[in-house]
Amino acid sequence: MDIRVLQYFLAVAREESITKAAETLHMTQPPLTRQMKELENEVGKQLLIRGSKKVTLTEDGMLLRKRAEEIIELVDKTKSELAASDEIISGDIYMGSGETEAVSMIAKAAKNLQEKYPMIRYHIYSGDAERITERLDKGIIDFGLLVEPFDISKYDYVRLPVKDTWGVLMRKDSPLAEKEYITPEDLLEKPLIISHQTIKSEEMAAWFGQDIGKLNVAATYDLIYNASRFVKMGFGYVIGLDKLINTGGESELCFRPLYPVLEAGLCIVWKKHQVFSKAAERFLEEMQAELAMG
């Protein structure tokens, strides 16, 4: 399967038109049509539904689009690593991270490294542990900053000397805002806004003392910033980690920790036997030195 043909296929998927895709690729329509037919013959599946007004993807086409994007991203990453000079440390570092204040530790290591090697570039992907480890396993990213619990047995890792605190984000005029801590009983009848990852958490279910699915889960979220907009409108209460949303000053929101206290450990992980680029090697060394200093 030719990389160039995959790029053609992605152009067609993006433009939803072979004619428009041909224009963006600076080629004529007939050769592009032929390439798409040859690609379908090669994979043995219909990938495109050619309508009168636009081209859409079949289910197999959508799968190939996802895989093609990953393949091209990995090819670009590899080219960047190989192009790095032996004398001047440069290149790209790819990281994935969940939402956590601990990203500041990565930022500090990156800042220190920037002073020594200003030609290194950083690419940060946000997502939950499942999405980050998927990218790690495919070699698309070098490192992942993950919020526990998760299975780290198949990764090398360093544990960060900090923990995140679970709690409830709410409006300051909420009755619960008068409390110092929030107990399971405080939330049993309340409309809750819970992240997609947390709703599967055995630790959170144990804290509540019941299956989270039996609670009044009014909404789920990926990014706590978006969830905080719902809280601001009085929609419900977010279960999340501290220090991710500004609750000081004139903010309408406040954060109250859970009781019994529930904390989340944090790890930077990477694939075992990973062959790093020089830039990624230097970053890991800088990160380890930063952690050793406490």
Side-chain angles (χ1 to χ4, degrees), residues 104-175:
S104 297
M105 300 186 71
I106 288 180
K108 185 177 181 182
K111 177 63 171 63
N112 293 341
L113 203 62
Q114 184 186 48
E115 295 174 0
K116 305 173 189 175
Y117 308 112
M119 295 181 67
I120 294 177
R121 299 290 178 264
Y122 299 86
H123 307 273
I124 314 297
Y125 298 90
S126 298
D128 59 21
E130 183 177 349
R131 295 178 185 177
I132 292 169
T133 53
E134 180 184 5
R135 283 181 171 268
L136 269 175
D137 294 343
K138 292 176 179 176
I140 296 173
I141 60 175
D142 302 304
F143 304 100
L145 173 55
L146 301 180
V147 181
E148 292 185 310
F150 56 87
D151 181 14
I152 59 174
S153 61
K154 65 177 182 177
Y155 300 106
D156 285 329
Y157 64 93
V158 291
R159 193 176 298 280
L160 301 188
V162 294
K163 290 187 176 182
D164 279 342
T165 300
W166 284 98
V168 181
L169 185 70
M170 67 188 84
R171 289 176 58 94
K172 286 181 178 176
D173 58 7
S174 163

Side-chain angles (χ1 to χ4, degrees), residues 55 65 92 117 121 126 155 178-179 192 206 224 258 273:
V55 173
R65 179 178 188 170
D92 299 272
Y117 308 112
R121 299 290 178 264
S126 298
Y155 300 106
E178 299 176 3
K179 299 175 65 69
L192 304 180
I224 197 169
L258 301 181
H273 313 298

Side-chain angles (χ1 to χ4, degrees), residues 24-157:
T24 64
L25 294 168
H26 305 293
M27 61 189 299
T28 58
Q29 183 265 335
L32 182 57
T33 298
R34 184 173 63 254
Q35 291 279 11
M36 292 302 97
K37 289 181 179 178
E38 290 177 356
L39 179 61
E40 289 179 320
N41 290 336
E42 181 180 357
V43 300
K45 300 283 187 178
Q46 181 182 356
L47 304 173
L48 305 172
I49 301 173
R50 298 160 177 82
S52 58
K53 294 186 178 180
K54 70 176 183 177
V55 173
T56 56
L57 299 180
T58 64
E59 188 172 335
D60 291 313
M62 288 187 283
L63 174 60
L64 180 60
R65 179 178 188 170
K66 180 181 179 182
R67 295 291 179 253
E69 289 171 343
E70 292 170 350
I71 290 168
I72 290 172
E73 189 173 4
L74 186 56
V75 168
D76 290 342
K77 179 175 180 287
T78 303
K79 286 180 179 178
S80 175
E81 292 171 350
L82 292 174
S85 168
D86 291 334
E87 297 179 0
I88 300 175
I89 303 298
S90 62
D92 299 272
I93 296 174
Y94 298 82
M95 292 181 282
S97 175
E99 287 188 291
T100 168
E101 169 66 15
V103 171
S104 297
M105 300 186 71
I106 288 180
K108 185 177 181 182
K111 177 63 171 63
N112 293 341
L113 203 62
Q114 184 186 48
E115 295 174 0
K116 305 173 189 175
Y117 308 112
M119 295 181 67
I120 294 177
R121 299 290 178 264
Y122 299 86
H123 307 273
I124 314 297
Y125 298 90
S126 298
D128 59 21
E130 183 177 349
R131 295 178 185 177
I132 292 169
T133 53
E134 180 184 5
R135 283 181 171 268
L136 269 175
D137 294 343
K138 292 176 179 176
I140 296 173
I141 60 175
D142 302 304
F143 304 100
L145 173 55
L146 301 180
V147 181
E148 292 185 310
F150 56 87
D151 181 14
I152 59 174
S153 61
K154 65 177 182 177
Y155 300 106
D156 285 329
Y157 64 93

Side-chain angles (χ1 to χ4, degrees), residues 4 21-22 84 99 109 127 143 174 182 184 195 205-206 214-215 253 275 285:
R4 179 174 50 86
E99 287 188 291
F143 304 100
S174 163
I182 303 300
S195 74
K214 295 180 180 179
L215 301 172
L253 307 179
V275 179
E285 291 169 1

